[in-house]
Amino acid sequence: MSDNSNALKQQAAEAAIAYVEGGIIGVGTGSTVNYFIDALAKIKGRIEGAVSSSEASTARLRQHGIEVLELNSVGTLALYVDGADESNARLQLIKGGGGALTREKIVAAASERFVCIADASKLVPVLGAFPLPVEVIPMARSLVARELTRLGGTPVWREGFVTDNGNPILDVQGLRIEDPLALEQTINQMAGVVTVGLFAHRPADVLILGSAAGPTTLTAAD
Ligand code: 5RP
């Protein structure tokens, strides 16, 4: 990743701090979120703690002395901040490049507002150039791969990787996702699929893009 891209991620992450109003914050996963966690640490006195979407984010939050709470013990969250691999103009996302898609989808579903942070290269006209991650139950890996091939994609097993839930991931190449809502539903219905990294039924509410001109904010209504 270039220094420039990292600077843009950091810019978006720091802009998201304006959405933190206290309470318990949902925290996603990835290099952009790492910048958000570092910025959150500077105002940690204003929050009660965080619900984390991965072991990696949990470790970083704790290193900064931010308490990490179980989702089951906190109920609905006012705010979730997470990155994305791609976003379209409707703020429907591909996520899961870092493999945390299942817990990310759970925390996003439990949150009233989802603020997505990314560098401007992640905004695309049509989702799918980034391979779509699908977390599967181990014994269903080949079955699901065959079904994804029938949909027109090329699933590639992310070898040597297991999620925090102990499952493999198939990265589906070659999809041009014109109807993210329908594809999310179709893949969700395949036996053996744990989670598809399409966030269309629960898109982001706000997208902050780091760019050379400064952070740009889009909302689903734009
Ligand atoms: C992890 C994710 C990340 O949000 C996504 O991969 C973007 O990562 P980064 O901020 O490193 O570009 O979905 O599962």
Side-chain angles (χ1 to χ4, degrees), residues 9 29-33 82-85 95-101 104 122:
K9 289 178 178 195
T29 299
S31 56
T32 317
V33 165
D82 197 359
D85 299 301
K95 291 187 43 55
L101 59 163
E104 291 173 340
K122 305 278 184 82

Side-chain angles (χ1 to χ4, degrees), residues 19-197:
Y19 291 83
V20 176
E21 290 176 349
I24 299 163
I25 312 300
V27 174
T29 299
S31 56
T32 317
V33 165
N34 284 343
Y35 288 118
F36 176 72
I37 293 171
D38 296 348
L40 193 61
K42 294 180 187 143
I43 57 150
K44 67 183 179 186
R46 277 168 39 194
I47 64 169
E48 290 169 40
V51 169
S52 168
S53 67
S54 65
E55 301 300 332
S57 289
T58 295
R60 197 175 187 99
L61 286 159
R62 288 195 173 132
Q63 276 165 16
H64 281 301
I66 297 172
E67 187 179 0
V68 178
L69 300 139
E70 289 294 325
L71 181 62
N72 285 320
S73 63
V74 301
T76 302
L77 302 168
L79 175 67
Y80 178 53
V81 179
D82 197 359
D85 299 301
E86 282 184 349
S87 174
N88 64 20
R90 298 170 70 185
L91 311 197
Q92 297 167 319
L93 312 171
I94 287 184
K95 291 187 43 55
L101 59 163
T102 297
R103 296 187 190 188
E104 291 173 340
K105 205 172 256 199
I106 293 167
V107 184
S111 301
E112 282 168 6
R113 185 185 239 178
F114 176 1
V115 174
C116 184
I117 50 177
D119 69 85
S121 71
K122 305 278 184 82
L123 182 64
V124 297
V126 179
L127 300 174
F130 190 93
L132 178 64
V134 182
E135 181 170 349
V136 297
I137 295 293
M139 71 174 284
R141 199 185 75 234
S142 299
L143 169 69
V144 173
R146 288 195 294 278
E147 299 215 8
L148 291 168
T149 302
R150 256 180 239 124
L151 288 181
T154 304
V156 177
W157 177 23
R158 202 183 291 183
E159 276 193 82
F161 181 87
V162 286
T163 68
D164 287 346
N165 313 307
N167 296 315
I169 285 188
L170 297 168
D171 291 304
V172 191
Q173 301 175 346
L175 294 173
R176 186 180 160 81
I177 307 174
E178 305 275 7
D179 189 345
L181 283 168
L183 187 65
E184 183 178 9
Q185 193 164 339
T186 298
I187 297 177
N188 271 339
Q189 284 172 349
M190 292 177 182
V193 167
V194 177
T195 305
V196 55

